[in-house]
Amino acid sequence: MDVQVLRCFVAVADGVTVTQAAAEARLTQPALSRALRRLEQEVGAQLFQQVGRVLRLTPAGRAFRDHADAALQRLDRGLRALQETVSPESGLIPLAFLHSLGTWLLPPLITGFRERFPLSRFELRQGSEAVLVESLLGGTADLLLTAGDPGHPLITWERLLTEPLWLAVPPGHRLARRRRARLAEVAEEPFILLRHEQGLRSVTEALCRAVGFTPRAGFEGDEVATLRGLVGAGLGVALVPRPHSAAPARGPSYLQVTDVEAARDIGIARLTSRTLPPNSERFLGHVRQHAVSVAAQEHSAAEES
């Protein structure tokens, strides 16, 4: 059974057109169509049916697709292990990360690691926490940088850092000129929140409940940057990490919360039962060292202030 054809089958099963799959495989469209028909003959069942101009999976195709994808993932892991045995310095590190960590935590991690191991390569995925957990469980990521423990029985998570959360209020807000505020002071105002599948949403709701109210959603977004922008536009308030780069001149004001400890844990996750490939294990050690260094810097800055 041809591995390239199996990859094309999975791609078409996932919605890629035959023309696109053929181009990516450097085949002509007729050649790939013939190869898919030969695959059907090999497995002894029709895998696709034509619906208009689109190919749809048959029941047999749906049953075969998951097994084919799992086989390809195992093959890819085997090829990675082989490559890292032959050339351990140039191994691939599949890493998933939360959107909001891509602007401040991820860049120095990768830069520092590649200074030590310049031939290493990264395959990066970003998204919501639910999507990233699936990438870890599905084997398309070795490690996951996220906020909070996913709480999955197959996943081991370890805390790296604690990131403060600030009360963001619009320019001109009655609290905007202050440096600190109680969260309870905005109990009656609309909150700009992440969607329910995002970890920061549950953290925000828990902190609000701790001071005696349930936040009223004025808008639900997908990224922390969106929340900051909408607060800056005057649509509500939010609990968010403070920007790690220069904030826009007309952006929100950020106030320290005084009536509850407002923070979220940043950590790294991996599958409990899986032994990491050498380069991913090496990167995990690098992440731990970086976290210790950042914590020491924050402690020193706190003492000086």
Side-chain angles (χ1 to χ4, degrees):
M1 195 168 288
D2 191 311
V3 171
Q4 183 185 50
V5 176
L6 275 182
R7 294 190 191 279
C8 291
F9 161 73
V10 171
V12 175
D14 289 345
V16 175
T17 66
V18 174
T19 301
Q20 291 172 319
E24 292 175 5
R26 298 185 179 179
L27 299 170
T28 65
Q29 188 271 335
L32 179 54
S33 295
R34 290 193 297 271
L36 291 175
R37 286 195 292 271
R38 287 196 301 271
L39 178 61
E40 290 180 323
Q41 293 171 0
E42 285 186 70
V43 301
Q46 183 181 356
L47 301 175
F48 294 104
Q49 58 185 349
Q50 191 85 30
V51 180
R53 295 185 176 182
V54 180
L55 286 180
R56 302 290 188 193
L57 285 173
T58 63
R62 285 194 295 273
F64 183 61
R65 184 256 173 230
D66 291 341
H67 292 286
D69 188 47
L72 289 171
Q73 288 186 25
R74 291 190 66 181
L75 174 62
D76 288 340
R77 288 197 292 268
L79 292 173
R80 279 184 54 205
L82 175 62
Q83 178 63 30
E84 292 181 351
T85 299
V86 175
S87 180
E89 300 297 316
S90 62
L92 178 69
I93 304 169
L95 175 66
F97 63 96
L98 196 63
H99 282 297
S100 59
L101 305 182
T103 58
W104 66 278
L105 180 60
L106 188 67
L109 281 175
I110 291 180
T111 299
F113 189 77
R114 296 195 70 183
E115 286 174 353
R116 297 169 57 195
F117 306 101
L119 298 180
S120 61
R121 297 171 292 124
F122 286 85
E123 184 177 87
L124 301 176
R125 289 178 173 81
Q126 67 174 357
S128 68
E129 293 184 8
V131 170
L132 297 180
V133 166
E134 286 303 315
S135 72
L136 196 63
L137 294 171
T140 55
D142 285 351
L143 297 166
L144 166 58
L145 286 168
T146 190
D149 188 343
H152 195 285
L154 300 180
I155 291 176
T156 295
W157 180 86
E158 59 181 279
R159 187 175 67 82
L160 299 170
L161 301 164
T162 298
E163 184 179 31
L165 297 177
W166 299 72
L167 177 62
V169 301
H173 188 275
R174 59 189 171 83
L175 302 176
R177 294 184 178 276
R178 289 167 49 178
R179 297 178 60 187
R180 300 176 180 83
R182 291 179 296 110
L183 187 57
E185 292 182 72
V186 293
E188 301 301 322
E189 302 194 28
F191 270 70
I192 311 300
L193 300 164
L194 291 180
R195 300 189 191 279
H196 281 285
E197 62 269 20
Q198 304 273 24
L200 184 57
R201 172 65 174 263
S202 59
V203 171
T204 297
E205 291 176 335
L207 291 172
C208 291
R209 284 196 301 270
V211 298
F213 73 96
T214 299
R216 175 169 57 90
F219 182 83
E220 296 181 342
D222 294 309
E223 298 185 28
V224 170
T226 300
L227 271 58
R228 294 189 186 115
L230 293 179
V231 171
L235 298 185
V237 302
L239 275 176
V240 290
R242 198 169 184 170
H244 292 266
S245 56
R250 286 290 297 169
S253 296
Y254 295 94
L255 287 68
Q256 182 181 0
V257 177
T258 59
D259 55 347
V260 68
E261 186 177 350
R264 66 174 182 174
D265 289 330
I266 306 299
I268 192 162
R270 55 184 289 185
L271 286 182
T272 304
S273 62
R274 184 180 171 207
T275 301
L276 288 174
N279 228 28
S280 292
E281 184 68 51
R282 192 178 295 123
F283 181 72
L284 176 59
H286 171 74
V287 172
R288 289 167 174 156
Q289 292 174 359
H290 180 82
V292 170
S293 175
V294 170
Q297 292 172 8
E298 292 178 349
H299 180 72
S300 176
E303 287 187 335
E304 290 177 3
S305 62

